[in-house]
Amino acid sequence: RFIYVNPYITQISGYTPEEILNLELWRLIHPADRLEVLDRAKRRQAGENVPTQYEFRMLTRDGQTRWLDFSPVLITYHGKPAIVGIAFDITARRQAEDELRRTHGLLQGIAQSTNDMICAIDNDFRFLFFNDAYQWEYKKLWGRDIEAGMNLLDGMAGWPEEQKKAKQLWSRALDGETFSVTSEFGPDTEKTYIYDIRFNPVYDDSGTKIGAAHILRNITEQVRIQK
C-alpha cells in the first residue's frame, strides 16, 4: 500500500490523496505491465539487483492509460523495507515514439517496394536512410557494404573524380536546391552506368534543413537501346 503520494501523482492519476492511500499499488498498474512491475518491486524489497529505472503504463481513475518513467529507491520505514518511487509522466513522449515508428514503418515499406534507389544523407554526407535497392547498387559500383552513419563519399575514396562529381551534386541539394540530372557513375569505363537522379533537400518539422535525399533510376539499358 501507499504511505505517501505528492500532488503530482494525484494530478496525473485522477485520484484524491485519500483514495490513493487506500489503494494497493497493483490497482494503478496496467494489466499488461502489472506482473513485471510487482515482481521487480518484490525483488527490490528483497535486496536483489534489479534495474533502478523502468517504464510502465498506469491506469487513471477514469480508465485512461498514462506512461510513467519510474525510479524506485529501497529504504527502511519503521524497521521494514519500503520503496520510494520517483515517477514522471512520459505519455506524450511515448505517443510520439509510437507515431514515429508507425510513420517510419510506412515509409520503409514504400521505399522497399520500389525498384528505384532511395537514399538520404545528413549535412555531413552521412547516411540517414537507404533502401535495399540503393544498398545493392552502391556495393555493385564501389564494392563496399554501407550502413547508417557511414559517410557516402568514403566508398568512392579510390575514385577521386567520381567522388568529386558525387560531392558536387549532393552539395547542390544540401544547399537547398531541388533538381533532376542524368549522370554516369562507375569505377571504370567497363563498369559505368547511367542514372536518372532527382535530388532534394530534407527538412525537419521546424523547417531546419537536416540533409538531402535522392532517388536514382538506372537507365543504362534504355539509353543503349535508344542509341
Side-chain angles (χ1 to χ4, degrees):
R1 286 184 179 275
F2 292 100
I3 299 170
Y4 166 79
V5 292
N6 70 352
Y8 179 74
I9 297 298
T10 60
Q11 176 186 344
I12 63 176
S13 70
Y15 288 96
T16 66
E18 294 77 16
E19 288 174 327
I20 287 187
L21 292 176
N22 287 316
L23 289 177
E24 294 179 328
L25 173 64
W26 66 270
R27 292 184 179 275
L28 292 180
I29 304 172
H30 192 283
D33 300 331
R34 191 170 291 162
L35 289 178
E36 181 181 359
V37 174
L38 294 179
D39 178 66
R40 287 188 179 187
K42 290 177 181 177
R43 290 165 55 196
R44 186 77 174 163
Q45 284 184 321
E48 291 187 36
N49 184 21
V50 296
T52 57
Q53 183 178 4
Y54 47 93
E55 299 174 0
F56 66 88
R57 284 161 288 186
M58 178 187 72
L59 291 176
T60 65
R61 193 176 190 277
D62 58 3
Q64 295 186 36
T65 299
R66 311 290 304 178
W67 274 98
L68 297 184
D69 185 314
F70 185 65
S71 301
V73 177
L74 185 65
I75 66 169
T76 300
Y77 181 77
H78 291 302
K80 295 181 179 181
I83 291 177
V84 174
I86 302 173
F88 296 95
D89 186 350
I90 57 169
T91 306
R93 192 203 80 193
R94 290 297 298 245
Q95 290 174 341
E97 290 174 349
D98 290 342
E99 182 61 29
L100 182 61
R101 278 192 291 269
R102 284 193 292 269
T103 302
H104 183 268
L106 175 63
L107 295 177
Q108 186 82 5
I110 294 172
Q112 299 295 10
S113 66
T114 178
N115 291 325
D116 289 342
M117 293 154 273
I118 303 174
C119 164
I121 63 171
D122 66 13
N123 293 315
D124 296 316
F125 296 90
R126 295 183 300 239
F127 285 115
L128 293 173
F129 171 82
F130 48 82
N131 65 354
D132 289 344
Y134 186 91
Q135 186 176 29
W136 295 331
E137 194 77 6
Y138 192 98
K139 186 170 184 178
K140 180 178 73 175
L141 284 176
W142 315 116
R144 184 167 178 179
D145 289 315
I146 57 176
E147 59 185 24
M150 169 183 157
N151 191 300
L152 173 142
L153 301 174
D154 287 349
M156 310 175 192
W159 301 272
E161 289 302 316
E162 298 296 284
Q163 186 184 61
K164 180 180 178 181
K165 182 166 55 177
K167 185 175 182 180
Q168 288 175 339
L169 289 172
W170 275 107
S171 294
R172 289 171 60 184
L174 290 172
D175 287 339
E177 183 180 354
T178 297
F179 64 99
S180 297
V181 65
T182 298
S183 185
E184 294 186 17
F185 280 97
D188 54 57
T189 55
E190 299 297 323
K191 198 176 181 181
T192 297
Y193 301 93
I194 304 170
Y195 298 95
D196 186 12
I197 316 172
R198 177 171 176 80
F199 287 87
N200 61 272
V202 176
Y203 301 89
D204 64 14
D205 292 339
S206 67
T208 302
K209 183 171 58 63
I210 60 173
H214 71 182
I215 301 176
L216 298 88
R217 180 171 296 173
N218 190 327
I219 60 171
T220 307
E221 195 61 29
Q222 176 184 341
V223 171
R224 287 173 179 167
I225 291 174
Q226 289 174 348
K227 287 184 178 180

